[in-house]
């Protein structure tokens, strides 16, 4: 772990997870670590596995994202996607969420709901991201359903009461039907207006689009004409 509270990066205690794919962590308003995950384990601030914090279903480049429940001081969601198993042809777990109570166990936390499906029976891609809603209170969580013809990006709205699918965005591929992988990454700009997708398979397809933080709508604007061979592209960042 790294702390930036002093203005410089200071290494903390060694974490207990090691992963070739994604991970996520969250801190309080003072920058103190609360917990982190590799999509499988949830580890508390003491670098111990959180109670009921095993067996999550995240297996992808962007396998997890952490969202604080709007209006709450104690509850956090971990959203996961299972994309890698889809490539291998194994049983697929789709996209799920887990609920953490950070007041349990003296502030070390407990997973109180685990592996609640957002969707099953479709192939989750290897990407998930989140961004603040236009109202500056609720949160959008965006993930992709994998298929050969189009991109389908689901925009879920996280409020203080529920997690709801609000918008299903179907976006035309540059290379429909010419796809051998779902090694995808997505990102929304911090101001919530731009959407970036990088999908790398037989052909590399990257595009910049618009995102509507009021409705969750994604519109493909322009391809990014970057010539790449079939490679992994496990991370991107978008700035405004």
């Amino acid at each position: 772990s790294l702390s930036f509270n002093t203005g410089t990066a200071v290494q903390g205690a060694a974490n207990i997870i090691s992963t070739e794919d994604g991970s996520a962590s969250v801190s309080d308003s003072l920058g103190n670590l609360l917990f982190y995950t590799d999509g499988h384990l949830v580890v508390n601030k003491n670098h111990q596995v959180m109670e009921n914090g095993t067996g999550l279903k995240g297996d992808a480049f962007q396998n997890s994202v952490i969202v604080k429940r709007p209006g709450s001081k104690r509850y956090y969601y971990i959203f996961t996607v299972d994309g890698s198993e889809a490539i291998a042809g194994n049983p697929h777990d789709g996209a799920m969420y887990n609920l953490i109570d950070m007041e349990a166990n003296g502030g070390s936390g407990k997973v109180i709901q685990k592996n609640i499906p957002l969707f099953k029976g479709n192939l989750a891609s290897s990407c998930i991201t989140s961004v603040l809603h236009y109202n500056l209170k609720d949160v959008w969580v965006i993930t992709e359903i994998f298929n050969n013809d189009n991109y389908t990006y689901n925009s879920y709205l996280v409020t203080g009461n529920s997690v709801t699918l609000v918008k299903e965005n179907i976006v035309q591929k540059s290379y429909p039907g010419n796809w051998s992988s779902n090694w995808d990454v997505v990102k929304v700009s911090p101001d919530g207006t731009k959407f970036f997708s990088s999908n790398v398979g037989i052909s590399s397809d990257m595009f910049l689009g618009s995102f509507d933080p009021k409705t969750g709508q994604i519109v493909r604007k322009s391809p990014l004409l970057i010539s790449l061979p079939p490679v992994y592209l496990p991370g991107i960042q978008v700035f405004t």
Side-chain angles (χ1 to χ4, degrees), residues 134-213:
Y134 181 82
N135 63 18
L136 303 182
K137 179 180 67 174
D138 300 326
V139 178
W140 292 106
V141 171
I142 304 160
T143 188
E144 180 188 349
I145 296 176
F146 175 72
N147 61 70
N148 276 336
D149 298 319
N150 297 290
Y151 305 122
T152 302
Y153 299 102
N154 284 348
S155 296
Y156 295 90
L157 184 60
V158 183
T159 70
N161 300 314
S162 63
V163 178
T164 307
L165 175 60
V166 172
K167 184 69 177 178
E168 184 180 81
N169 299 280
I170 299 176
V171 178
Q172 180 66 45
K173 288 183 176 180
S174 295
Y175 310 100
N178 188 22
W179 225 242
S180 64
S181 78
N182 60 346
W183 300 322
D184 308 344
V185 286
V186 294
K187 199 73 175 179
V188 180
S189 60
D191 68 355
T193 63
K194 298 177 182 64
F195 179 84
F196 180 79
S197 172
S198 172
N199 306 75
V200 180
I202 293 175
S203 303
S204 299
D205 189 12
M206 304 182 190
F207 73 86
L208 182 65
S210 65
F211 181 78
D212 187 335

Side-chain angles (χ1 to χ4, degrees), residues 2-73:
L2 292 175
S3 171
F4 296 90
N5 285 342
T6 62
T8 9
V10 178
Q11 184 173 346
N15 67 63
I16 65 170
I17 61 174
S18 176
T19 176
E20 295 180 353
D21 290 326
S23 61
S25 64
V26 65
S27 301
D28 64 18
S29 60
L30 300 176
N32 300 306
L33 178 67
L34 294 178
F35 63 91
Y36 56 97
T37 181
D38 63 353
H40 301 284
L41 296 176
V42 186
V43 184
N44 65 27
K45 61 186 178 182
N46 301 313
H47 303 285
Q48 301 168 336
V49 177
M50 189 177 288
E51 182 179 351
N52 198 30
T54 62
L56 275 65
K57 302 294 187 178
D59 193 358
F61 280 163
Q62 291 177 305
N63 57 37
S64 54
V65 66
I66 299 170
V67 174
K68 188 175 183 179
R69 176 185 277 181
S72 173
K73 295 182 178 180

